[in-house]
């Protein structure tokens, strides 16, 4: 069985199947109608890089090193000047799938470190078309280099130079390039009868949002909606391609996101997190509950809806299971195999841990969610107009100072109150029962937790994308400044 994982930055409320009012995602809605919708599916972190590290290792970012200890409960990621990346000691899904003869490709954003030792082809991927970072820029190539785009081992150009993104109109044809790469890769593997793993990690819905010409201005939702429509169209074409090649019944496909919609870019470039509180960067539901659809014709009963608590780390364990492989036994794996859920409708009892950097902020068990810490962002940042919960302030919940609730967690019943607006009364029997149960899970979790070496503490301008492999051929090498390592600053 081949498998494909689609990962991009989108909110729970961005798809028609999840109730988005303009109903502009017919292909994803069709995918949901033919497959299984997961309504309680989470990412491992409210930010891109740690979530992607968790997906590919099956481990929480606090275990795989994708966190910082430079400040308490800080969201850290992999900007150009980051020194760290995915450690060699971590075993990635593509490395393990190779043992079962899989050919593995990543299309789009890698985001697990951009220095040579962190290259995706050194960590199990056979092919890459995309970029180590997001499409931020344009930069001046003196203070900051423009981000490179790679084909396999070498860069083939840079964003804003060879891969244009018009910041005025939002026009860029990158999603079309990523789509064509996916279709060609699938055709090639089908022709050689080779099982494959495709990680389609596109980023059109990440600010600065972009779409290609034929989609610009076609959505009721502005440019963000145009980008969503183009992604929806692309997913439709990929699924259709699998069907036309006659391999859809041998291909497991999963669509989800690496974090909630970034409301800081709202309303123009921000998506929707539906009824949930806040967005990207926070451990409220809007930051970590994601749209998720499993599709496997002939295996997954059509029109299924699951309330299984799922996590992107489960895609690691589930993909290994599909390939007939066992997860590594020499390390703690946080993902679970979802095949019994998907194929037999089972429900597996497991908690969801909501981390922000090095702190366990909240835990969900069943329908209850206990917050041990609350924080959206600091008053200082908030006063600069950086707002992760615009229009959604909940007194005592969306706090602008880090509030500890270790002894009396804030407890919500997410069935009755998905928006986390009504904390249960501390005095109620329901509160005491649920908190006692969750506290036991937290003690168990913390007792066995061995944090990994933090990878996101040190920044150095000399390690930016000055002269990536292949730059000489293109005449695109830039002169790096002297090395000057510093502690990275993570304001939220």
């Amino acid at each position: 069985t081949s498998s494909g994982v689609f990962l991009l930055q989108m909110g729970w409320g961005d798809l028609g199947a999840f109730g988005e009012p303009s109903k502009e995602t017919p292909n994803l809605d069709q995918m949901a109608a033919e497959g299984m919708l997961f309504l309680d599916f989470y990412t491992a972190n409210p930010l891109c890089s740690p979530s992607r590290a968790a997906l590919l290792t099956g481990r929480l970012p606090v275990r795989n090193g994708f966190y910082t200890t430079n400040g308490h409960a800080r969201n850290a990621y992999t900007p150009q000047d980051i020194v760290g990346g995915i450690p060699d000691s971590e075993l990635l899904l593509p490395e393990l799938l190779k043992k079962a003869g899989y050919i593995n490709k990543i299309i789009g954003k890698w985001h697990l470190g951009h220095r040579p030792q962190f290259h995706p082809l050194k960590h199990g991927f056979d092919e890459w078309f995309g970029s180590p970072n997001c499409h931020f820029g344009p930069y001046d190539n003196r203070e900051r280099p423009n981000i490179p785009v790679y084909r396999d081992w070498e860069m083939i150009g840079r964003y804003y130079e060879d891969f244009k993104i018009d910041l005025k109109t939002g026009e860029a044809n990158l999603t079309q390039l990523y789509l064509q790469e996916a279709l060609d890769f699938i055709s090639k593997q089908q022709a050689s009868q080779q099982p494959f793993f495709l990680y389609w990690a596109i980023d059109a819905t990440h600010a600065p949002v972009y779409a290609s010409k034929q989609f610009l201005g076609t959505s009721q939702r502005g440019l963000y909606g145009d980008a969503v429509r183009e992604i929806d169209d692309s997913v439709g074409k990929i699924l259709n391609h699998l069907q036309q090649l006659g391999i859809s019944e041998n291909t497991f496909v999963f669509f989800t996101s690496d974090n909630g919609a970034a409301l800081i870019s709202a309303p123009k470039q921000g998506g929707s997190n539906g009824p949930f509180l806040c967005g990207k960067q926070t451990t409220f539901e809007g930051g970590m509950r994601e749209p998720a659809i499993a599709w496997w014709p002939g295996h997954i009963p059509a029109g299924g809806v699951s309330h299984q608590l799922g996590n992107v780390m489960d895609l690691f364990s589930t993909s290994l299971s599909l390939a007939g492989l066992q997860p590594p036994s020499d390390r703690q794996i946080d993902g679970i195999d979802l095949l019994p859920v998907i194929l037999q409708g089972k429900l597996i009892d497991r908690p969801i841990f909501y981390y922000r950097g090095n702190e366990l902020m909240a835990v969900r068990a069943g329908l209850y969610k206990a917050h041990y810490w609350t924080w959206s962002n600091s008053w200082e940042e908030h006063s600069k107009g950086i707002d992760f919960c615009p229009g959604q302030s909940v007194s005592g919940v969306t706090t602008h100072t880090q509030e500890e609730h270790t002894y009396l967690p804030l407890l919500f019943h997410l069935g009755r109150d998905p928006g986390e607006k009504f904390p249960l009364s501390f005095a109620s029997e329901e509160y005491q029962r649920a908190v006692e149960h969750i506290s036991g899970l937290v003690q168990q979790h913390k007792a066995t937790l061995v944090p990994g070496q933090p990878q996101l503490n040190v920044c150095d301008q000399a390690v930016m994308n000055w002269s990536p492999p292949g730059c000489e051929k293109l005449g695109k090498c830039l002169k790096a400044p002297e090395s000057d390592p510093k502690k990275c600053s993570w304001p939220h």
Side-chain angles (χ1 to χ4, degrees):
T1 303
S2 297
S3 68
V5 172
F6 300 158
L7 191 71
L8 58 155
Q9 169 157 326
M10 251 163 119
W12 195 92
D14 279 333
L15 307 187
F18 286 84
E20 202 288 313
S22 58
K23 290 274 189 280
E24 292 179 346
T25 53
N27 296 290
L28 286 160
D29 299 351
Q30 175 77 15
M31 181 185 183
E34 292 172 5
M36 179 175 271
L37 209 52
F38 282 85
L39 296 175
D40 298 81
F41 196 87
Y42 291 87
T43 176
N45 191 269
L47 213 64
C48 33
S49 309
S51 300
R52 289 159 191 267
L55 169 96
L56 291 172
T57 60
R59 286 151 55 79
L60 283 162
V62 72
R63 293 192 216 274
N64 64 35
F66 265 67
Y67 71 104
T68 182
T69 51
N70 287 358
H72 175 246
R74 292 305 201 274
N75 288 322
Y77 62 107
T78 51
Q80 284 205 65
D81 52 354
I82 202 79
V83 168
I86 195 72
D88 278 343
S89 55
E90 289 298 321
L91 285 171
L92 272 59
L93 176 59
E95 288 176 72
L96 297 165
L97 288 175
K98 266 189 177 322
K99 294 178 180 160
Y102 276 65
I103 301 290
N104 309 303
K105 178 159 188 157
I106 168 174
I107 297 174
K109 181 167 80 163
W110 167 239
H111 235 202
L112 300 191
H114 56 266
R115 294 168 68 211
Q117 66 266 42
F118 306 127
H119 193 293
L121 271 58
K122 286 198 173 158
H123 294 270
F125 283 102
D126 299 292
E127 297 183 17
W128 181 23
F129 178 76
S131 174
N133 303 75
C134 232
H135 54 281
F136 291 137
Y139 297 122
D140 62 5
N141 286 341
R142 285 186 302 280
E143 294 292 308
R144 250 164 213 275
N146 276 321
I147 312 277
V149 174
Y150 280 77
R151 169 154 322 275
D152 301 333
W153 287 108
E154 298 191 339
M155 73 176 276
I156 51 171
R158 293 184 188 266
Y159 283 137
Y160 298 96
E161 297 166 24
D162 317 276
F163 295 88
K164 302 275 191 275
I165 301 168
D166 187 325
L167 292 181
K168 283 199 185 72
T169 63
E171 186 183 339
N173 70 342
L174 290 168
T175 304
Q176 292 304 309
L177 295 179
Y178 292 149
L179 167 62
Q180 199 51 52
E181 283 290 318
L183 300 176
D184 292 349
F185 174 71
I186 292 166
S187 297
K188 193 168 81 185
Q189 302 322 313
Q190 190 268 341
S192 61
Q193 303 283 292
Q194 195 78 37
F196 64 86
F197 167 59
L198 171 62
Y199 176 40
W200 200 61
I202 53 168
D203 64 359
T205 47
H206 191 300
V209 172
Y210 61 79
S212 56
K213 198 168 190 131
Q214 72 258 43
F215 290 93
L216 284 179
T218 63
S219 166
Q220 295 187 30
R221 305 179 64 196
L223 180 57
Y224 182 86
D226 297 342
V228 170
R229 290 201 59 204
E230 183 167 16
I231 288 164
D232 175 75
D233 181 77
S234 301
V235 170
K237 291 194 163 102
I238 292 171
L239 299 184
N240 191 29
H241 192 57
L242 292 169
Q243 283 169 317
Q244 284 181 334
L245 291 174
I247 55 172
S248 59
E249 296 202 358
N250 305 342
T251 312
F252 175 81
V253 183
F254 203 93
F255 176 92
T256 189
S257 175
D258 57 351
N259 47 246
L263 301 183
I264 185 173
S265 325
K268 285 210 159 156
Q269 303 218 340
S272 161
N273 296 315
F276 302 121
L277 188 60
C278 303
K280 180 178 176 175
Q281 300 264 9
T282 77
T283 48
F284 300 110
E285 291 297 285
M288 291 187 58
R289 203 191 294 204
E290 305 308 332
I293 305 167
W295 185 86
W296 189 12
H299 300 268
I300 298 177
V305 171
S306 177
H307 289 284
Q308 171 66 43
L309 299 191
N311 195 294
V312 292
M313 298 180 287
D314 302 343
L315 298 173
F316 174 89
S317 306
T318 307
S319 299
L320 290 178
S321 175
L322 282 163
L325 299 168
Q326 290 296 316
S329 55
D330 64 342
R331 61 198 61 211
Q332 181 71 44
I333 299 294
D334 296 292
I336 62 171
D337 177 6
L338 291 176
L339 285 187
V341 175
I342 292 168
L343 301 179
Q344 294 140 35
K346 290 202 168 144
L347 279 178
I348 300 164
D349 187 25
R350 63 89 73 89
I352 294 291
F353 296 110
Y354 302 68
Y355 269 89
R356 181 160 168 163
N358 54 351
E359 186 60 77
L360 179 61
M361 303 287 285
V363 178
R364 178 173 175 185
L367 287 166
Y368 292 102
K369 180 178 178 184
H371 289 266
Y372 291 90
W373 285 86
T374 53
W375 191 39
S376 58
N377 64 343
S378 66
W379 281 115
E380 186 195 356
E381 293 284 299
H382 192 253
S383 65
K384 292 180 195 162
I386 295 171
D387 192 350
F388 301 140
C389 313
Q392 279 193 314
S393 168
V394 180
S395 175
V397 179
T398 55
T399 53
H400 289 294
T401 48
Q402 294 189 3
E403 301 284 339
E404 186 170 3
H405 310 277
T406 310
Y407 301 106
L408 268 184
L410 287 186
L411 185 73
F412 295 95
H413 184 289
L414 294 177
R416 301 193 295 263
D417 174 27
E420 293 170 285
K421 291 182 174 61
F422 307 101
L424 271 68
S425 156
F426 297 139
S428 67
E429 201 188 319
E430 183 184 9
Y431 176 91
Q432 282 156 2
R433 254 198 340 263
V435 165
E436 195 179 342
H437 174 58
I438 294 177
S439 296
L441 296 171
V442 170
Q443 275 169 334
Q444 228 177 324
H445 172 68
K446 288 197 162 169
T448 59
L449 182 72
V450 181
Q453 186 69 33
Q455 293 295 310
L456 309 180
N457 280 351
V458 183
C459 287
D460 184 351
Q461 288 201 300
V463 306
M464 292 203 282
N465 294 290
W466 299 104
S467 48
C471 68
E472 306 83 3
K473 290 181 197 166
L474 303 171
K476 293 245 172 214
C477 304
L478 301 167
K479 191 170 161 28
E482 290 291 302
S483 177
D484 180 19
K486 290 186 169 70
K487 268 177 115 173
C488 309
S489 148
W490 305 110
H492 354 275

